[in-house]
Amino acid sequence: MSKVGTAWKALPVSAVAALYINGIQRFVRQNLIAFFGAGTGFAVSDSLGWREFGLGAGLVLLIGLLIAVIYHRRFRYFVDDNSVRVRKGLFEQQELKVRFERVQNVGFSQPVYLRPLGLVRVTLETPGAAQTEVSLPGIASAEAAALRDLVSGAYRSRPASDDGDESVVESKPAEPDRPAQFQASAADLFRYGMSSNQIWILLALLGAPASNWVESRLSNWLEQLKSADFLDMQMLSSAPLLIALLVGLLILATALMLMAVSGLLAIVRFHGYRLLLDTDRFKARFGLLDVREKTLRVSKLHSIEIAQTAIGRVLGQWYAVGHQTGANPLNQERRFLIPGIDDKRVTQVVSVLRDNDWQMPDWQGIHPRFRSLLWIRTSAVLVAAAVALWQLLPGNPVWPSAAILAVNVVVLACVHLRWRRWAYALDDRRLRIRSGLVGQTILEFDLARCQQVRITASPYQRRHRLASLNIRLPHGEQAIPWLPRDVADRIANLLLYRAETSTEHGL
């Protein structure tokens, strides 16, 4: 049995350690790229010295401990049969109340430093909040499980006991884990990490020290070649292709190293990933150092997005995101992410999420005038810039203009790939939109989920009877540009009709 609703409760004393470590992690994560990405940290450490650097770090750690203690003393929470309330704040106390029926996602997190303490971090997310609305930074595992079951409706109430306790609830017998709908192996996660956008974060973080190391290595190597008996600088300067080849090999080796690091980080983050379907909700369990469980109500899942990065196309890797009502797409922590999906299982995963037999559709592309207009505008600007440089620079050098023309060819190729990738597929109940450049993203949603649709047409589009669609969904806007006007009208009318009659038809 578990008692709820008796009094305001404080976090366990051991939660001070959780608050302290979590606060330090958040401070480092928010400032790491800004501090080290541009090489600022190395410059500061060289100018101030390690003694001053250590004193500053110690001061930050002491201030963080004081903040954690004050925050713990002022944090209180109260759970009753149908809601949870939280009081928190350092100097200004806030009180939040969330009813269980508004919660669309219950998140569990148990980092490695919480396991010896027997604590779990619980987050409750609601549709209207851009950030996590309620977070209990460290409560007992049994209490966290009881709260999760209350939120999900897994408890059944019974009358108050004879001893006067106000709210006593009895849990149902624990059910064994259901078979996983999807599991990602370590190899799948490694390939996902190699193809994910996390590489660019690593590049921003390690770019400055890596570039300094490469520059130092090249300088030492050139000095050694200069002092060698069999080679002098004049001979070396006559072989620029050799230098370019070595630089290219160093860049390739760095990129492969970052991809490998990103793959290993993905294994650590999503270790043992399992997707479960528990009656009316999906559950995702994963993590090595930070064991997590995220849940998502099926009724709150309004659209599915499957994506494949450029490297993912080479490795045959996808990932899927379940979009929730009111969730901020920029908030990575709130996404219901399914990583490590290979080409053979992508239809299986989407079929589970959509509860039907899902297959890749026959795509309808956008009008070729989209590509033609962008080609003309881009070429006109870049060719004019190339001619102007050739005329204005002393001696009329050819290479600046040639470089601009080469850029023009690359841009034209990108415009073509963008036009070719953008497409849609429509049936009587759902719409799919594909976009991308080298990679691709496919978004599928029921027509009844549309909140607003807008048709726009420039003078050029009106002259050629074309229009663009902008569709507002619960998580943001999606666009289908440069459609024939009659097609755009037909899609817009169908979207509005399905949205207005969704209750009647039970969609």
Side-chain angles (χ1 to χ4, degrees):
M1 292 187 178
S2 176
K3 298 181 180 180
V4 296
T6 55
W8 287 91
K9 300 180 64 175
L11 296 174
V13 177
S14 55
V16 174
L19 290 169
Y20 178 58
I21 297 175
N22 189 50
I24 294 298
Q25 285 183 335
R26 186 167 57 251
F27 175 81
V28 173
R29 187 167 55 248
Q30 291 175 351
N31 297 278
L32 189 60
I33 293 180
F35 188 68
F36 289 102
T40 308
F42 297 94
V44 171
S45 62
D46 290 340
S47 60
L48 296 181
W50 288 109
R51 178 181 177 183
E52 291 80 3
F53 185 80
L55 290 175
L59 181 60
V60 170
L61 294 176
L62 288 177
I63 294 176
L65 179 60
L66 179 61
I67 292 175
V69 171
I70 297 175
Y71 190 86
H72 175 270
R73 289 182 59 86
R74 294 177 63 84
F75 192 99
R76 296 292 184 271
Y77 67 98
F78 179 92
V79 181
D80 57 28
D81 291 337
N82 55 20
S83 66
V84 58
R85 285 189 284 173
V86 171
R87 290 176 181 171
K88 63 179 182 178
L90 289 175
F91 305 105
E92 180 181 1
Q93 192 173 58
Q94 302 175 345
E95 180 170 333
L96 303 173
K97 178 179 180 180
V98 175
R99 299 182 66 85
F100 292 152
E101 59 265 23
R102 293 193 63 246
V103 176
Q104 71 177 9
N105 195 349
V106 180
F108 273 22
S109 177
Q110 192 177 43
V112 64
Y113 56 84
L114 286 185
R115 294 179 201 173
L117 305 177
L119 302 180
V120 175
R121 185 164 60 234
V122 181
T123 58
L124 306 180
E125 300 170 358
T126 59
Q131 303 293 330
T132 299
E133 191 158 355
V134 170
S135 176
L136 303 178
I139 62 176
S141 300
E143 189 174 359
L147 177 60
R148 176 191 60 191
D149 292 339
L150 276 173
V151 173
S152 63
Y155 276 94
R156 53 183 174 86
S157 298
R158 74 176 191 180
S161 61
D162 295 335
D163 59 4
D165 290 337
E166 294 181 358
S167 296
V168 181
V169 294
E170 183 178 3
S171 64
K172 293 181 179 179
E175 297 182 359
D177 280 347
R178 302 173 185 269
Q181 303 293 322
F182 170 76
Q183 287 182 279
S185 65
D188 292 328
L189 295 175
F190 185 78
R191 287 192 294 267
Y192 163 75
M194 292 180 67
S195 62
S196 71
N197 293 326
Q198 189 170 260
I199 298 174
W200 305 113
I201 300 177
L202 293 174
L203 183 61
L205 178 62
L206 303 176
S211 63
N212 293 335
W213 180 83
V214 170
E215 182 181 358
S216 174
R217 289 297 229 178
L218 282 176
S219 299
N220 293 337
W221 181 74
L222 290 175
E223 288 295 332
Q224 292 174 3
L225 290 179
K226 183 179 179 180
S227 59
D229 296 334
F230 61 90
L231 192 64
D232 57 17
M233 285 303 296
Q234 183 178 1
M235 183 177 179
L236 183 63
S237 62
S238 64
L241 290 179
L242 177 61
I243 300 177
L245 178 61
L246 292 174
V247 172
L249 290 176
L250 283 173
I251 293 175
L252 178 61
T254 303
L256 292 176
M257 181 192 67
L258 291 178
M259 290 174 64
V261 172
S262 181
L264 294 175
L265 291 177
I267 293 177
V268 173
R269 179 183 178 189
F270 295 106
H271 172 75
Y273 186 96
R274 301 176 69 222
L275 176 66
L276 307 171
L277 177 58
D278 186 5
T279 60
D280 65 334
R281 66 192 61 234
F282 293 105
K283 291 183 179 180
R285 296 175 182 171
F286 56 91
L288 183 61
L289 300 180
D290 186 358
V291 180
R292 295 191 176 194
E293 177 181 295
K294 299 195 72 173
T295 63
L296 173 64
R297 288 186 182 179
V298 176
S299 60
K300 300 294 186 180
L301 183 63
H302 64 76
S303 61
I304 301 295
E305 179 182 319
I306 56 174
Q308 191 177 45
T309 64
I311 301 176
R313 292 196 67 188
V314 178
L315 300 178
Q317 281 293 307
W318 298 75
Y319 67 89
V321 178
H323 287 295
Q324 311 169 49
T325 304
N328 185 355
L330 300 179
N331 190 340
Q332 303 294 315
E333 291 297 323
R334 293 193 61 177
R335 298 194 311 167
F336 194 86
L337 177 66
I338 306 173
I341 309 172
D342 56 41
D343 286 332
K344 297 179 180 179
R345 294 191 291 175
V346 63
T347 56
Q348 169 201 339
V349 172
V350 182
S351 297
V352 170
L353 296 175
R354 300 297 288 166
D355 194 23
N356 58 33
D357 187 14
W358 191 89
Q359 297 294 333
M360 283 289 185
D362 295 328
W363 297 104
Q364 304 294 322
I366 61 176
H367 202 278
R369 290 188 182 274
F370 171 84
R371 177 187 58 182
S372 301
L373 184 63
L374 287 181
W375 273 358
I376 294 172
R377 289 179 176 177
T378 303
S379 298
V381 173
L382 292 180
V383 169
V387 173
L389 277 179
W390 181 69
Q391 292 289 338
L392 295 176
L393 291 178
N396 302 119
V398 177
W399 66 266
S401 301
I404 293 179
L405 294 178
V407 170
N408 183 44
V409 173
V410 174
V411 172
L412 295 183
C414 291
V415 169
H416 172 75
L417 293 175
R418 178 69 166 165
W419 164 79
R420 187 176 180 181
R421 186 67 59 193
W422 220 327
Y424 72 96
L426 176 69
D427 58 34
D428 192 48
R429 295 191 58 178
R430 71 195 62 190
L431 179 63
R432 297 164 183 169
I433 303 174
R434 186 184 69 183
S435 59
L437 190 63
V438 179
Q440 59 181 325
T441 299
I442 300 173
L443 180 74
E444 177 184 300
F445 61 93
D446 291 332
L447 301 179
R449 297 293 188 173
C450 173
Q451 295 181 337
Q452 184 185 60
V453 59
R454 187 173 71 254
I455 300 177
T456 60
S458 65
Y460 180 85
Q461 289 177 310
R462 289 196 297 269
R463 187 189 319 155
H464 297 281
R465 297 193 56 78
L466 300 172
S468 298
L469 277 179
N470 291 278
I471 304 166
R472 179 175 293 278
L473 298 174
H475 76 280
E477 285 195 356
Q478 294 293 322
I480 312 179
W482 294 76
L483 297 174
R485 182 57 191 250
D486 57 339
V487 174
D489 290 337
R490 179 171 61 87
I491 296 176
N493 291 334
L494 186 57
L495 285 168
L496 294 175
Y497 171 75
R498 286 298 185 188
E500 291 172 358
T501 60
S502 59
T503 304
E504 176 184 347
H505 290 274
L507 296 178

